[in-house]
Amino acid sequence: MFDALSDRLDGIFSKLRNRGRLTERDVDEISREIRLALLEADVNVRVVKSFIARVKERAVGAEVAKALDPGQQFIKIVHEELVATLGGTTGKLTMSPKPPTVLMLAGLQGSGKTTAAAKLAKLLKSQGLHPLLVGADLQRPAAVEQLRVLAGRVDVPFYSEATDPVSVARGAIEEALRLGRNFVIVDTAGRLQIDTDLMDELKAIAAAVQPQNTLLVVDAMTGQEAVNVAEAFNDAVGLDGVILTKIDGDARGGAALSVKEVVGKPILYAGTGEKLDEFEPFHPDRMASRILGMGDVLTLIEKVEATFEEDEKRRAEELLQSGRLTLEDFLEQMQQIKRMGPLQNVLGMIPGMPKEVKNAEIDDKDLGRIEAIIRSMTPEERRKPELINGSRRMRIAQGSGTSTTEINNLLKQFKQVQTMMKGMGGVTRKPKGGKGKKGKGAKPKGPRMPPGFPGLGKGFPGLPGADDPDAGGLGGGLPGFPPR
Amino acid sequence: MVVVIVVVVVALLLISAGVFFLVRSSGRAKERPGVSGEPTAPPQSAVEAPSVEELEELLRLPEVEEPGTDVAVETLEIAPAVPEVVERPRLRDRLGGTRKAFSGAFGRIRGRKIDDDTWDELEESLLLADVGMLTTTRLLDAVRTRAKETSVTEPEELITLLRDEVVTLLTDDADRSLHLTADEPNVWMFVGVNGVGKTTTIGKLASQRVSEGHRVVLAAGDTFRAAAADQLQLWAERTGGELVRGQEGADPSSVVFDAMSAAAGRGADLVLVDTAGRLHTKKNLMDELSKLRRIVDRTPGALKEVLLVIDASTGQNGLVQAKQFAEAVDVTGIALTKLDGTSKGGIVLAIQSELGLPVKVVGVGEGIGDLIAFDPAEFAAALFSDEG
């Protein structure tokens, strides 16, 4: 999604990283580049202006001049401003002291309100709340039916009636009280912000049920218009937050920046896929890191945490230390990674991945092929791949239903990885060296990538300081960042 | 290539995990005096980092729905009576918002000297219209050249030049008609990302063609979104078209196949194929779309149009969408929807200039008649008009 923007900024800053001083002309040039990148990312022209102004003011000021490494300092400023623009802190829903809490969704047609309603209900339900889904979109044909079906899928009660949206919303509150539901989610019809009648209707619904939370649903692919939409809805019904949908595409999502800046309310959730559980709290800090090409390290770590068992973690650790990797270990690791979800998603979270790799189409079935090849080897072959000669290769190919070429490829790649691992082992044996405790410590952690993966090694950072969970992906070791 | 990536990723993740736990355990060891910093110290607990339960919930692998193979085709015979009578609006009448935005910015440069600010204002107004940096630069460069040639001194003249450039860009003698040959099967397919208005566009087009005397079959190829077929069914009822639908989760190709057979059996001459909204980045779904197209292509020459539906509020991503969909199903044109708001639809300029895909129809409202042919001259004129 925001990848292209991070690519741009990455390109700019790579020029800066090795620079000792930052002149005013540098700042101007960078500002221009950032402007271009942000504009192409659909950040609103006006928002870009104020954003650049803020960054520039800080950058040419004393802050940079005094810094030991002006280039890094600049990146830090941009990052901080991005975080500030995107939300500063993670937002929360407001709970009514007297149940039910009412939440109303509003937005343009096709922004994803109905789907977001069902996903939100599922999420809240998993957090122990008792939501009621309310279909008050009587405008679009079959919208009510759509929500009814989705409500059934997430196993949440549903309410609607064929009257008018205001009555539906009113009736829903009574229904919630009757059923003992403590959270009411009202889905409304999509409307243009300049449609006075429909905007009045929205006001009437809000007046009738007094929602504690009025959320604007915004499509991540929205262009410059996002600002006008957010402004108008905010003026009409007073927004409390934003849901950003469809961020699983490759839209750069500048709308998120724009809306946040204009409305000044947090982006609470993000829709990350078509499945009903693909819906997450929005993390401005992570998103900013992502924009800056630092990958979504925190999410990755959490995924790793959630996937690896204790002994597996220890095993991975030992492996790394020894620097020796056999195909058996490899197979084992691969299976763990499979548990982390689709490889493509995992890939997107690794910082510094070159675009070609990130955008490559990976079918998780390909993992199966590799697995088949390794499983067709004898235990001895797995430990000592150099044993594999022509006839063994044939046998493995037949056994795994692959070709000898594929086996050759795998072995070749594996060998390179082994070399890389050895490099890693060496680095980690002196653990204090590169953990970002010194300004220059942010240099790559030395996985000397074999030739053939240009750029991979360069951008692969260490992971953030482990006992610093609030670092927002900025813990010790990220590339290009000064230590805290 | 795939092998390379998989191997590298696995290795990287392994290393990440290793480094992470290593760092953690040694970090902890350091905190506790008396324990040596032996890096193999077993990590003791899972992170106290933000809510693991919540994460687990989020990380749970999505359940894969069994694709139903049996398509119960239920065709509705609709009495072809009462198709709603519709009046066609004019584009100009619906472009109020767009027009104001443009003239607003242009109003500011009026009566001043042409200087850097003038060009900045022009650039900003084009950018605000989602025209995009590349196309904006291209347009303004052309205007600059023309301005020099004709030694323009008044900002108003710049606006005229700019309008001319836009018209030139748009009227690249593109074919903007929707092809429909009498007495043979015709299929129009509608594709696009989620929520752009595919189903609504189909409903409006069905209404137009039915009122022109065609027999229209609506194929509910969106078997993914809940109640998508119901939505199309309501349109079928409103317009007097016939609906062919499958079960939810059914293979859309079977729906399309059945719709084409149904059309042949009943002498309907036009099949409008609705498809599920999909992000252009989802390879599997794009493959599914290519397959759908192949099903239609089994009747050679039947597929007359593949329309990519684009929401006028779409930003620069619209260009990427157009590229990807064009690659997957060979798009013949664009249906630009929701142009009745203040959205400028400027991405159309980029799509036409980069990919040569013409806009064929424009959605300008929620009414059944609110779909009109795209007229570049009128579009450009409306964009730069000064009235109201």
Side-chain angles (χ1 to χ4, degrees), chain A residues 85-270:
Chain A
T85 313
L86 280 168
T89 50
T90 310
K92 287 236 158 27
L93 293 178
T94 311
M95 293 298 160
S96 166
K98 188 172 137 269
T101 299
V102 182
L103 181 144
M104 181 171 85
L105 295 173
L108 297 179
Q109 290 95 341
S111 52
K113 286 174 296 302
T114 307
T115 308
K119 286 175 168 182
L120 182 61
K122 185 172 164 61
L123 184 69
L124 293 179
K125 193 178 154 210
S126 77
Q127 293 169 353
L129 288 163
H130 303 284
L132 172 72
L133 277 166
V134 182
D137 178 358
L138 308 180
Q139 197 85 12
R140 177 164 61 89
V144 169
E145 189 52 32
Q146 183 184 351
L147 191 58
R148 188 195 311 275
V149 172
L150 292 177
R153 280 193 206 155
V154 299
D155 196 18
V156 162
F158 171 82
Y159 179 82
S160 188
E161 51 182 78
T163 49
D164 63 281
V166 178
S167 316
V168 171
R170 263 208 206 98
I173 305 291
E174 282 163 33
E175 179 78 355
L177 288 170
R178 195 176 65 80
L179 295 175
R181 311 303 290 183
N182 56 13
F183 204 100
V184 177
I185 301 172
V186 183
D187 179 30
T188 65
R191 62 202 76 218
L192 287 167
Q193 79 277 14
I194 52 162
D195 188 327
T196 336
D197 294 347
L198 284 178
M199 288 308 273
D200 286 346
E201 179 198 277
L202 195 63
K203 284 183 208 164
I205 300 174
V209 296
Q210 301 285 332
Q212 285 77 31
N213 305 278
T214 302
L215 304 190
L216 180 70
V217 182
V218 179
D219 187 327
M221 292 176 275
T222 314
Q224 299 288 321
E225 183 69 358
V227 161
N228 299 332
V229 174
E231 240 162 18
F233 274 91
N234 196 28
D235 288 349
V237 287
L239 299 174
D240 302 296
V242 176
I243 296 178
L244 190 66
T245 60
K246 309 180 204 171
I247 69 167
D248 47 331
D250 59 356
R252 299 169 205 177
L257 279 159
S258 308
V259 169
K260 181 61 193 37
E261 179 102 333
V262 168
V263 181
K265 295 286 160 38
I267 301 171
L268 292 165
Y269 299 100

Side-chain angles (χ1 to χ4, degrees), chain B residues 305-351:
Chain B
E305 297 289 346
V306 180
L307 292 178
L308 172 65
V309 185
I310 287 197
D311 186 325
S313 69
T314 309
Q316 299 312 300
N317 193 244
L319 189 59
V320 190
Q321 289 170 24
K323 262 184 207 153
Q324 297 295 324
F325 277 99
E327 216 165 85
V329 285
D330 206 0
V331 172
T332 59
I334 306 289
L336 185 65
T337 59
K338 311 183 201 171
L339 201 62
D340 46 331
T342 50
S343 292
K344 325 295 190 294
I347 192 63
V348 168
L349 296 182
I351 291 176

Side-chain angles (χ1 to χ4, degrees), chain A residues 451-474:
Chain A
F453 310 111
L456 247 188
K458 164 195 92 174
F460 181 65
L463 290 161
D467 300 309
D468 193 7
D470 63 339
L474 287 184

